[in-house]
């Protein structure tokens, strides 16, 4: 059940360099069975006379079809990635009317005017239909919470009471996509056709630092929603 966990890596420097999500290891270090970080262990290159080696996660394996040949995976294999992420942002500020009154600006206390919290869950499924065709689908849900801690809002040279002082806003947002991919015979070009929908919660500069048309506070600005169709071809030039 953990074959992929032991023999693949993702998010490495090499993967980012070539803009791929991950790849199979040429040789999986023995320690990978108990420590996922062991993938960076130095693995000797036996065909070098000086006995030099490279980290395991820098040696790409091209034997990924061996799992099919050994009968451990079907040719039309399904890969599922599931994950979570979270963030908590606290925004503070300090102001001075003029530097002669507060010459040591950095000694002033900071005041929290807003904070944001988000918890997200996501999943991506890749279904290999044939040797050159695959279907990729994904979904994401974000649970957002925002607090407006401003009691006053600065408008021009003056200030006004914040109509949303101490307000708390919660929102669930949903995103998803589906994409068909086809590899051409050259093995370094891929055609894709996809449909996706994304929902984005307003950021600090849109909610706290701006005003809306109907009120001096933009705290309840609606989320941004985008639905689009993507059609394209990716061609990779390989070094000889």
């Amino acid at each position: 059940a953990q074959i992929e966990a032991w023999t693949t890596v993702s998010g490495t420097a090499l993967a980012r360099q070539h803009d791929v999500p991950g790849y199979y290891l040429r040789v999986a270090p023995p320690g990978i069975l108990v420590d996922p970080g062991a993938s960076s262990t130095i693995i000797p290159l036996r065909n070098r006379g000086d006995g030099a080696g490279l980290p395991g996660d820098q040696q790409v394996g091209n034997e990924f079809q061996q799992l099919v040949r050994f009968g451990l995976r079907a040719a039309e294999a399904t890969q599922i990635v599931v994950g979570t992420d979270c963030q908590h942002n606290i925004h503070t500020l300090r102001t001075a009317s003029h530097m002669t009154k507060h010459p040591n600006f950095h000694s002033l206390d900071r005041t929290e005017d807003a904070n944001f919290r988000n918890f997200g869950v996501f999943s991506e499924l890749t279904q290999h239909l044939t040797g050159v065709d695959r279907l990729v689908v994904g979904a994401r849900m974000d649970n957002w919470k925002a607090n407006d801690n401003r009691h006053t809002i600065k408008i021009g040279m003056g200030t006004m009471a914040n109509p949303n002082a101490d307000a708390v806003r919660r929102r669930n947002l949903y995103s998803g996509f589906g994409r068909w991919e086809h590899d051409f015979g050259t093995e370094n070009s891929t055609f894709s056709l996809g449909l996706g929908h994304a929902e984005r919660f307003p950021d600090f500069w849109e909610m706290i630092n701006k005003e809306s048309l109907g009120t001096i506070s933009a705290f309840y600005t609606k989320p941004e929603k985008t639905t689009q169709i993507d059609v394209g071809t990716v061609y990779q030039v390989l070094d000889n």
Side-chain angles (χ1 to χ4, degrees):
Q2 300 191 59
I3 293 177
E4 274 73 25
W6 294 333
T7 59
T8 64
V9 291
S10 60
T12 65
L14 186 61
R16 292 190 296 271
Q17 179 182 348
H18 294 280
D19 194 24
V20 296
Y23 48 86
Y24 280 83
L25 299 174
R26 179 174 178 269
V27 177
I32 202 71
L33 299 177
V34 294
D35 178 17
S39 61
S40 60
T41 302
I42 300 297
I43 302 296
L45 300 174
R46 302 298 183 184
N47 58 350
R48 294 187 55 166
D50 57 4
L54 286 173
D57 58 8
Q58 293 185 24
Q59 300 186 39
V60 180
N62 56 7
E63 308 88 355
F64 50 88
Q65 286 296 333
Q66 287 293 92
L67 298 177
V68 176
R69 298 189 184 102
F70 293 156
L72 298 175
R73 289 290 182 269
E76 298 78 20
T78 301
Q79 182 181 15
I80 300 177
V81 177
V82 179
T84 64
D85 55 37
C86 62
Q87 58 175 299
H88 186 199
N89 303 303
I90 300 175
H91 188 272
T92 63
L93 78 162
R94 53 191 172 195
T95 59
S97 57
H98 46 77
M99 297 306 294
T100 57
K101 183 176 180 180
H102 298 286
N104 189 4
F105 175 78
H106 296 286
S107 66
L108 298 177
D109 293 332
R110 285 186 170 273
T111 302
E112 180 181 326
D113 59 350
N115 66 71
F116 297 78
R117 188 270 300 155
N118 176 55
F119 178 76
V121 294
F122 59 89
S123 178
E124 181 176 305
L125 180 147
T126 302
Q127 174 66 54
H128 293 269
L129 306 174
T130 66
V132 295
D133 293 285
R134 57 191 168 274
L135 179 66
V136 184
V137 296
R140 179 183 178 92
M141 190 277 286
D142 289 285
N143 175 258
W144 278 95
K145 177 185 177 184
N147 296 70
D148 187 351
N149 300 324
R150 303 169 299 166
H151 287 184
T152 60
I153 297 178
K154 186 176 181 180
I155 302 295
M157 299 299 293
T159 60
M160 298 183 64
N162 180 11
N164 298 317
D166 298 320
V168 179
R169 179 181 177 184
R170 294 179 174 85
R171 187 70 178 264
N172 289 334
L173 300 180
Y174 305 92
S175 304
F177 74 93
R179 184 175 66 249
W180 168 64
E181 299 179 352
H182 174 80
D183 295 329
F184 292 108
T186 55
E187 298 183 358
N188 59 345
S189 58
T190 300
F191 171 82
S192 63
L193 172 64
L195 174 66
H197 174 79
E199 299 183 354
R200 182 183 67 85
F201 196 74
D203 61 21
F204 170 83
W205 300 104
E206 296 166 325
M207 294 177 58
I208 303 299
N209 199 47
K210 297 293 182 181
E211 63 277 353
S212 64
L213 293 176
T215 174
I216 61 173
S217 172
F219 185 66
Y220 289 101
T221 297
K222 294 180 179 180
E224 177 185 291
K225 298 183 180 181
T226 303
T227 301
Q228 65 183 37
I229 297 176
D230 293 303
V231 181
T233 301
V234 176
Y235 179 78
Q236 182 180 0
V237 178
L238 302 178
D239 297 332
N240 295 325

